[in-house]
Amino acid sequence: MSGGTQEKIGKRGRAAIVVLGDLGRSPRMQYHALSLARQASLQVDIVAYGGSDPHAALLENRSIHIHKMAQWPTVPKGLPRIIYPFMLLLKPLIQFFMLLWFLCVKIPSPDVFIVQNPPSVPTLVAVKWASRLRRSAFVVDWHNFGYTLLGLSLGRSSHFVAAYKWFEKHYGKMANGSLCVTKAMQHELAQNWEINATVLYDQPPEFFRPASLQEKHELFCRLNKDIVPLHGVYDCVSTGNLGIDTSDLHETLFTARNTSGTFLNPNRPALIVSSTSWTPDEDFGMLLEAAVMYDRRVAAILNEDDSTEKENFWKEINSGRQYPYPRLLFIITGKGPEREKYEEKIRRLHLKRVAFRTMWLSAEDYPLMLGSADLGVCLHTSSSGLDLPMKVVDMFGCGLPVCAVSFSCIEELVKKEKNGLLFSSSSELAEELLMLFKGFPNECDDLKSLRNGAMQTGSSARWDTEWEEHARPLISEVISKNST
């Protein structure tokens, strides 16, 4: 992101970012903070939970001050069911007073509060009260609708969901200004919520870009023990890598280095990356089913059986033979409640040409992984159908083509057969994998065409220019009106 040379916004020269969640897993709010500090020359206070580390750019910026709130403790299992309704009421009440303490006492008075929504309760209420007490402007950045997320677990007909929606709409309308992530959401807010929002599309910041060969090699060296574990995993990736000396790591599963330089291994697996929050709005089972279909269809095409399979993998690595369809390695990044459930399902698959690895990557390694992969897969379907997956934006920033689940507004981002493909079922995804990776790595023209399209999409717009054009004018306007 470029540094700003314009005058500061507001008389106090401060802004506050509010995230009732893990700051390290809230990239859009991190980018807001960087833009406010760099482009608007403001002091920025971030009030959020700890957990995952944010990007180093935030930690290194002296104008950004992070204030971590205590996490709500995990409710122990085995409690009587009658207690749960009280816990549902107690949690937002405690969060409300904690937020008020931080927003009204712990941080200096800002010119503007910018709050991430969802969650809506008690965040919008607390920020509205704090903005009144401190005579600050109040901007909501609508990422999605909180009531639709709650409806995934409680059902849309729940009284809790109805009450949540009322709070979200009532306090959302009290904001001095609103940002949102899609034109579809902008239309919904205007038509049914009486809220005029400015569309601020997610765009990748400067650290999302294609990785160089050297960066790929260093990344795979760092992650070698996670990708090719020494014990406990026996699949097409770990089997094929038994001949590699991992003590000095001149060679990894994907790259090698010699006196002539660094190069990609010609018999490497195709690397597919998917980032997930392991929540019900992402059907990870669809990806597992597609992997099983790919595995079986390739085995049928190659006329392979169980007795020859392991020998074929060994020969594939050492003989230099090019198979028409590659082995696939899926690296799934992210944290979330359903991760263990799906990891157990993965262990029971016993696939021959497909392997999975789940991991959490640092904010610095995640862009490098996207910039080193061959394809991205997005399973995000949106609880509201009105938001777009930021992970796809990041992938395009790294020049990575995408296969994404189709839903109502995804084509605002993924242009079919230009920068990615859409699918509605596991069988469609399996067909796309077979089409894109036939002849990998040198003769997969369809994949190369999509990569060129993703590179063009990623280079056409960046976060700092999008923020300067759409967010800065709105924030300046609401601060100006609030101060008069």
Side-chain angles (χ1 to χ4, degrees):
M1 295 180 189
S2 58
T5 58
Q6 303 179 43
E7 293 183 1
K8 290 180 182 178
I9 300 174
K11 296 178 181 179
R12 298 168 180 167
R14 300 195 79 94
I17 301 286
V18 184
V19 180
L20 195 63
D22 185 340
L23 177 61
R25 296 169 65 186
S26 305
R28 182 175 166 103
M29 302 312 285
Q30 294 184 55
Y31 305 159
H32 270 302
L34 286 170
S35 290
L36 289 164
R38 293 174 174 180
Q39 295 169 245
S41 301
L42 297 180
Q43 294 293 312
V44 182
D45 295 289
I46 303 177
V47 176
Y49 290 142
S52 309
D53 291 330
H55 198 278
L58 263 77
L59 302 176
E60 295 166 359
N61 193 306
R62 295 184 178 182
S63 297
I64 296 176
H65 317 281
I66 299 174
H67 308 265
K68 294 181 181 179
M69 298 182 293
Q71 286 271 25
W72 175 257
T74 303
V75 179
K77 294 181 180 179
L79 287 178
R81 293 194 64 175
I82 195 173
I83 295 178
Y84 280 97
F86 295 102
M87 299 296 286
L88 284 174
L89 294 173
L90 183 62
K91 178 179 179 179
L93 193 62
I94 292 175
Q95 289 174 326
F96 174 74
F97 287 110
M98 184 183 299
L99 273 171
L100 276 186
W101 170 254
F102 272 83
L103 302 182
C104 296
V105 179
K106 292 278 284 182
I107 67 172
S109 294
D111 292 293
V112 62
F113 288 101
I114 301 175
V115 57
Q116 171 184 290
N117 185 77
S120 316
V121 179
T123 325
L124 298 184
V125 187
V127 176
K128 178 57 187 174
W129 283 31
S131 68
R132 231 179 233 174
L133 290 169
R134 311 205 81 171
R135 297 183 179 180
S136 306
F138 166 29
V139 173
V140 179
D141 190 8
W142 297 83
H143 298 194
N144 200 348
F145 293 117
Y147 83 93
T148 61
L149 288 171
L150 187 63
L152 291 176
S153 55
L154 299 183
R156 288 288 184 96
S157 61
S158 165
H159 293 302
F160 275 110
V161 174
Y164 198 104
K165 182 179 180 181
W166 183 89
F167 271 100
E168 188 170 22
K169 182 175 181 179
H170 181 72
Y171 281 93
K173 288 167 65 176
M174 291 185 177
N176 301 100
S178 291
L179 298 164
C180 66
V181 294
T182 65
K183 290 180 180 177
M185 184 176 287
Q186 181 189 46
H187 179 77
E188 170 68 16
L189 287 168
Q191 292 294 110
N192 299 318
W193 294 57
E194 300 174 19
I195 293 173
N196 294 319
T198 298
V199 177
L200 175 66
Y201 280 120
D202 286 320
Q203 300 291 357
E206 79 281 359
F207 35 80
F208 283 91
R209 55 174 177 74
S212 67
L213 269 175
Q214 181 66 23
E215 288 172 326
K216 291 178 182 180
H217 183 70
E218 292 174 356
L219 174 70
F220 295 133
C221 285
R222 287 197 298 275
L223 299 179
N224 189 72
K225 60 180 174 46
D226 298 309
I227 294 174
V228 188
L230 296 177
H231 306 288
V233 175
Y234 190 78
D235 57 28
C236 67
V237 170
S238 52
T239 303
N241 201 42
L242 289 177
I244 294 175
D245 180 5
T246 57
S247 60
D248 56 11
L249 287 176
H250 290 308
E251 186 174 4
T252 72
L253 186 64
F254 299 96
T255 58
R257 178 188 292 161
N258 58 24
T259 54
S260 301
T262 304
F263 56 92
L264 293 171
N265 283 331
N267 290 316
R268 66 189 182 277
L271 177 58
I272 304 173
V273 177
S274 183
S275 173
T276 179
S277 54
W278 301 102
T279 51
D281 63 343
E282 295 184 341
D283 184 3
F284 194 76
M286 189 182 296
L287 180 58
L288 297 188
E289 290 171 5
V292 171
M293 292 177 188
Y294 178 93
D295 196 68
R296 290 175 178 172
R297 291 180 192 178
V298 172
I301 291 168
L302 300 179
N303 294 316
E304 293 175 337
D305 58 38
D306 290 340
S307 62
T308 62
E309 187 64 27
K310 292 172 185 176
E311 181 184 1
N312 281 341
F313 287 137
W314 183 255
K315 288 180 178 178
E316 183 177 339
I317 288 293
N318 293 289
S319 69
R321 176 183 173 185
Q322 294 292 316
Y323 277 60
Y325 293 97
R327 296 165 294 144
L328 303 183
L329 172 60
F330 288 89
I331 291 184
I332 314 299
T333 73
K335 297 178 181 178
E338 296 193 342
R339 176 173 170 172
E340 290 184 5
K341 179 182 80 172
Y342 280 109
E343 285 178 333
E344 180 57 34
K345 288 185 177 182
I346 290 169
R347 281 191 284 269
R348 295 199 299 264
L349 290 179
H350 303 296
L351 301 175
K352 299 173 182 177
R353 299 197 68 83
V354 181
F356 285 87
R357 300 289 184 267
T358 59
M359 61 183 70
W360 174 256
L361 295 172
S362 70
E364 289 70 42
D365 278 348
Y366 178 61
L368 291 174
M369 177 60 74
L370 296 186
S372 302
D374 300 298
L375 182 71
V377 171
C378 175
L379 302 166
H380 178 85
T381 54
S382 173
S383 61
S384 65
L386 299 173
D387 69 312
L388 292 173
M390 189 176 226
K391 67 195 76 175
V392 173
V393 175
D394 296 338
M395 289 171 182
F396 287 159
C398 296
L400 184 64
V402 173
C403 289
V405 173
S406 180
F407 63 92
S408 57
C409 67
I410 188 64
E411 291 188 39
E412 285 190 43
L413 179 60
V414 179
K415 310 301 180 184
K416 191 174 179 182
E417 298 181 357
K418 292 185 178 179
N419 54 22
L421 298 174
L422 302 176
F423 61 91
S424 300
S425 66
S426 53
S427 60
E428 286 185 14
L429 176 56
E431 290 291 343
E432 290 172 0
L433 295 175
L434 287 164
M435 177 191 72
L436 293 176
F437 288 111
K438 185 177 182 180
F440 182 86
N442 298 320
E443 298 175 6
C444 41
D445 293 338
D446 290 326
L447 182 62
K448 292 176 183 176
S449 176
L450 291 184
R451 178 174 286 278
N452 290 336
M455 294 279 284
Q456 291 174 4
T457 301
S459 61
S460 63
R462 288 283 165 170
W463 171 266
D464 55 354
T465 54
E466 183 78 8
W467 191 91
E468 192 70 36
E469 183 177 352
H470 299 288
R472 183 187 177 108
L474 173 74
I475 295 169
S476 298
E477 180 183 357
V478 299
I479 290 175
S480 177
K481 287 182 178 179
N482 188 68
S483 62
T484 56

